[in-house]
Amino acid sequence: MKKKLMILYNEYAFSKGFGIRVGKGRKRQNSELYTMKRFLCSCEGVKDEKRKRTRSYARLDTRTGCTAFVQFSIGKDGVWTVVNHNMIHNHAMVPLNKRHLIRSQRKVSKEAIYFMSTLKASGVKVSDTLRVLRKEVGGSPMVGFTASDAYNALSRAKANKLEGHDCHQLIKYFAQRNSSEEDFYYDFELSEEDGLLSFFWRDGRMKRDYDYFGDLLVFDTTYRTNKYDMICAPFVGMNHHANNVMFGMGFVIIGIYYL
């Protein structure tokens, strides 16, 4: 029911020119069932300056403190009833020709991910695939997502491929070495879906080489032709014989931080 009502409110929001997001709810005591739920305008609230992080780039903030919302009461029988709403916004509506860019209106379908993944595996660039999609459906507004959405969706799909046997065996192997080798170190990062995004390791020899020859360090991310289409990122230096030495090794999902 929640999903259907959210789709309905999102369709109404598109007709008017604003985006939506899920607000806070209220649960029954000692239960995971909700008694109240709100859907808000995406411009609700203001930025918390106290939690502001220093960034090398400026991030657009579209929040204006808008108080538009729709509130539902949820009965014990599971019926959702509208009990309160505010239809007044404190900001301009998005023009019709720009509404396809509203975040709540964008979604990369499973079919689109499969289509782009298949062509990418055949050597077709994602940018070329997006051009094909735009032409087939009649323009960018009809695609349903942006280029950055496509890259991020493909990156998440790659990460989810690593959820199975290979991923678990890798982490298990690292944990065993960490427990048996004093200077072995490893770290990894998971996505919201528990897919492996990146991992890094170094052993005792790499650490000792870095202690002696760490004045020169090269971080090379040009090699990426592996099974999972991940960037191979070695940390390399040079010893007193002018030979390359390894300080550490990492693998990162391509495009996972695409903006």
Side-chain angles (χ1 to χ4, degrees), residues 117-159:
S117 299
T118 302
L119 291 183
K120 189 172 185 294
S122 301
V124 180
K125 294 181 179 179
V126 177
S127 57
D128 292 335
T129 302
L130 290 174
R131 292 190 189 97
V132 173
L133 285 173
R134 294 188 191 107
K135 185 175 181 180
E136 287 296 317
V137 300
S140 296
M142 304 301 295
V143 174
F145 53 87
T146 63
S148 60
D149 295 333
Y151 281 101
N152 288 332
L154 289 172
S155 296
R156 286 191 294 269
K158 294 174 194 172

Side-chain angles (χ1 to χ4, degrees), residues 23-210:
K24 293 182 179 180
R26 186 185 303 120
K27 292 183 178 180
R28 300 184 187 279
Q29 188 175 5
N30 301 322
S31 174
E32 292 299 315
L33 299 176
Y34 282 96
T35 61
M36 185 275 290
K37 197 68 178 177
R38 278 191 174 195
F39 297 140
L40 312 172
C41 172
S42 60
C43 294
E44 185 271 345
V46 293
K47 180 178 288 188
D48 186 355
E49 295 294 332
K50 294 181 180 179
R51 299 180 62 184
K52 187 176 181 180
R53 293 185 295 174
T54 302
R55 298 178 182 273
S56 59
Y57 58 91
R59 195 168 191 174
L60 181 64
D61 184 17
T62 59
R63 288 173 290 182
T64 62
C66 183
T67 57
F69 72 94
V70 60
Q71 180 175 321
F72 294 88
S73 174
I74 308 167
K76 293 183 179 180
D77 55 359
V79 176
W80 291 52
T81 306
V82 177
V83 294
N84 199 2
H85 72 281
N86 177 19
M87 301 174 65
I88 301 175
H89 297 261
N90 66 351
H91 55 88
M93 297 292 103
V94 179
L96 183 61
N97 63 337
K98 298 291 185 182
R99 291 178 189 175
H100 64 283
L101 299 175
I102 298 175
R103 185 168 185 174
S104 62
Q105 303 295 337
R106 305 189 330 245
K107 181 182 179 181
V108 186
S109 65
K110 293 181 180 179
E111 293 77 15
I113 294 175
Y114 178 78
F115 179 69
M116 292 186 293
S117 299
T118 302
L119 291 183
K120 189 172 185 294
S122 301
V124 180
K125 294 181 179 179
V126 177
S127 57
D128 292 335
T129 302
L130 290 174
R131 292 190 189 97
V132 173
L133 285 173
R134 294 188 191 107
K135 185 175 181 180
E136 287 296 317
V137 300
S140 296
M142 304 301 295
V143 174
F145 53 87
T146 63
S148 60
D149 295 333
Y151 281 101
N152 288 332
L154 289 172
S155 296
R156 286 191 294 269
K158 294 174 194 172
N160 291 337
K161 289 181 181 179
L162 295 172
E163 287 184 1
H165 180 78
D166 292 346
C167 174
H168 292 302
Q169 287 298 317
L170 175 68
I171 302 304
K172 183 178 179 180
Y173 172 72
F174 282 163
Q176 290 175 344
R177 291 196 61 180
N178 187 52
S179 62
S180 60
E181 300 177 28
E182 182 178 355
D183 291 329
F184 186 84
Y185 171 82
Y186 74 99
D187 196 5
F188 58 92
E189 182 183 5
L190 300 178
S191 67
E192 294 179 356
E193 297 83 8
D194 292 329
L196 189 63
L197 297 180
S198 61
F199 59 92
F200 166 84
W201 81 93
R202 64 115 172 97
D203 57 22
R205 181 175 180 178
M206 293 177 180
K207 181 179 183 300
R208 289 189 294 273
D209 284 337
Y210 177 77

Side-chain angles (χ1 to χ4, degrees), residues 218-231:
V218 177
F219 181 58
D220 184 12
T221 60
T222 58
Y223 186 76
R224 58 186 68 187
T225 56
N226 53 77
K227 177 180 177 181
Y228 297 108
D229 201 14
M230 299 179 77
I231 296 175

